[in-house]
Structure formats: C-alpha cells, structure tokens
Amino acid sequence: QKEVEQDPGPLSVPEGAIVSLNCTYSNSAFQYFMWYRQYSRKGPELLMYTYSSGNKEDGRFTAQVDKSSKYISLFIRDSQPSDSATYLCAMKTSYDKVIFGPGTSLSVIP
Amino acid sequence: EPEVTQTPSHQVTQMGQEVILRCVPISNHLYFYWYRQILGQKVEFLVSFYNNEISEKSEIFDDQFSVERPDGSNFTLKIRSTKLEDSAMYFCASSDPPRWDTNTGELFFGEGSRLTVL
C-alpha cells in the first residue's frame, strides 16, 4: 500500500465551480497535513496546513482532516482560472521529512 | 519576501559526468532539504540536512549523491556520475524548526534546477 494516495486527475471544472481534492494515507503517525500548489515547472508553494482533525478555512480554501479515516481534503470555492495547477497533498510526523502525494492536476476553464 | 534560490535553472550533461546543483536557503533557516521530481511523477524526498550533517536520506540518495554546506549560505547537491534516470527537477527547500504553537516548520521551496542527462 502506498504511503499517500491521491487521484491524479486531470480534473477540469468551469470557472466558479467548487473543487474537491482528496488524499488518503496509511501511516497513522502523520500529524501535520499540508496542501501545496505547483504551477508547471515551478517549485511547490504551501497553501494550507492543519494539525488536528477538523476544518481550517483561508479565503476560498478549506482544508479538512479526518484522522480516524486517514483522509484529507481541500475545497476550493469560486474557482478561478488562476487556480489551474497541480495540487499536492503532503504530510509528516512531528520532526520528519514531508511526504508528498502524487498530485492532482486541475484546470479551471473560463 | 525571503526566498530559496537555486542555480542553475537548467543543466544538460553527458552520462557519467559530475553535476553540482546549488541552493541558497532562506538565511535564518536551519533545516535544508533536497527533493526530486521526475517529469510527470511525484515530488520525492532525497535528503535532509541539519547542524552540518545529514539527518535523514531516502533509498534514492545512494553513494553517487552527496550534500554539503560549504559556507554559511550555500547548500549543494553533488551527483558524481550521472545516469540517464537522474534526469529530473531537483528542488531545494529550507525550513525553521517546527514549533507546536506557531508553525509546522513549513518547507519553502526554490524554483528548481532541471537536470537533463544525455
């Protein structure tokens, strides 16, 4: 079983749609959960991080963590063409390397 | 805003040649990392570095790889004898130590160095 799994997409939505991106993981020792955005041929950029189970909101983005199900989500409201990128879920234990999921490619069509 | 800078942005080399990729981490950060991303694949951890020594390395980081912090600002990744399968984007990252009350030790990534091995 892979440590972090994520549907690679591609996912294509119309502008203004709500986007749902998801990851599952197998290592129950993961404590920090992150979402990174990566534009083509650029480095990953941190969007959201969460520590505990529950929701965290930042503008149009909401991160959700369910540790009991080992499942995390990122919701994007009112999606914009500029949101078109690859979204990487990532996680780590307390003092450890960050492990990335394979990424979901998102296109927001004007 | 402080940022991680990497050079070169793109390097083409012949198989068997040595390559050095350079990174300047954010100045007050203490943890340094190299990650690799083969085209179309996921971002993979290579090595972490703290207090002038490797703190963790992955299976990918074999004897042909080495890292060094030769001075107070640079952090380098050396590949001694490049192979075709080393062709990838190499990302450097740096972070503060994580703190339970304020941050996760967020990794700040550079723009990457694209390595093409012919």
Side-chain angles (χ1 to χ4, degrees), chain B residues 18-37:
Chain B
E18 177 181 285
V19 161
I20 297 177
L21 305 178
R22 292 183 168 81
C23 170
V24 179
I26 294 173
S27 62
N28 60 338
H29 283 180
L30 300 178
Y31 290 77
F32 313 111
Y33 309 83
W34 283 101
Y35 282 78
R36 178 181 84 174
Q37 187 175 33

Side-chain angles (χ1 to χ4, degrees), chain A residues 29-43:
Chain A
F30 286 137
Q31 297 185 44
Y32 288 106
F33 304 91
M34 291 148 277
W35 285 94
Y36 281 80
R37 177 174 62 195
Q38 186 179 27
Y39 292 112
S40 181
R41 298 188 182 276
K42 298 288 188 182

Side-chain angles (χ1 to χ4, degrees), chain A residues 38-45 88 100, chain B residues 4-6 21-23 32-38 41-47 75 77 88-94 107-115:
Chain A
Q38 186 179 27
Y39 292 112
S40 181
R41 298 188 182 276
K42 298 288 188 182
E45 170 195 14
L88 312 172
F100 286 88
Chain B
V4 176
T5 57
Q6 290 186 242
L21 305 178
R22 292 183 168 81
C23 170
F32 313 111
Y33 309 83
W34 283 101
Y35 282 78
R36 178 181 84 174
Q37 187 175 33
I38 295 171
Q41 298 187 25
K42 71 176 189 176
V43 177
E44 299 175 291
F45 170 77
L46 289 179
V47 65
F75 179 52
L77 174 70
M89 282 288 280
Y90 287 82
F91 293 107
C92 174
S94 69
L107 266 62
F108 290 84
F109 283 84
E111 295 284 273
S113 292
R114 184 153 62 103
L115 176 64

Side-chain angles (χ1 to χ4, degrees), chain A residues 11 18-22 71 73-76 104:
Chain A
L11 184 62
I18 295 174
V19 176
S20 173
L21 305 167
N22 310 294
Y71 188 90
S73 300
L74 177 71
F75 298 96
I76 307 174
T104 298

Side-chain angles (χ1 to χ4, degrees), chain A residues 2-84:
Chain A
K2 292 180 181 176
E3 204 163 19
V4 181
E5 299 203 54
Q6 184 176 8
D7 186 342
L11 184 62
S12 183
V13 301
E15 183 175 353
I18 295 174
V19 176
S20 173
L21 305 167
N22 310 294
C23 280
T24 58
Y25 62 96
S26 57
N27 185 353
S28 57
F30 286 137
Q31 297 185 44
Y32 288 106
F33 304 91
M34 291 148 277
W35 285 94
Y36 281 80
R37 177 174 62 195
Q38 186 179 27
Y39 292 112
S40 181
R41 298 188 182 276
K42 298 288 188 182
E45 170 195 14
L46 182 69
L47 278 178
M48 300 280 287
Y49 75 86
T50 52
Y51 170 62
S52 57
S53 283
N55 294 354
K56 181 177 180 178
E57 191 172 316
D58 184 1
R60 297 185 294 112
F61 298 91
T62 299
Q64 193 173 77
V65 173
D66 182 349
K67 288 187 178 180
S68 62
S69 302
K70 298 191 181 69
Y71 188 90
I72 70 170
S73 300
L74 177 71
F75 298 96
I76 307 174
R77 289 183 299 282
D78 187 25
S79 55
Q80 303 295 309
S82 58
D83 294 329
S84 298

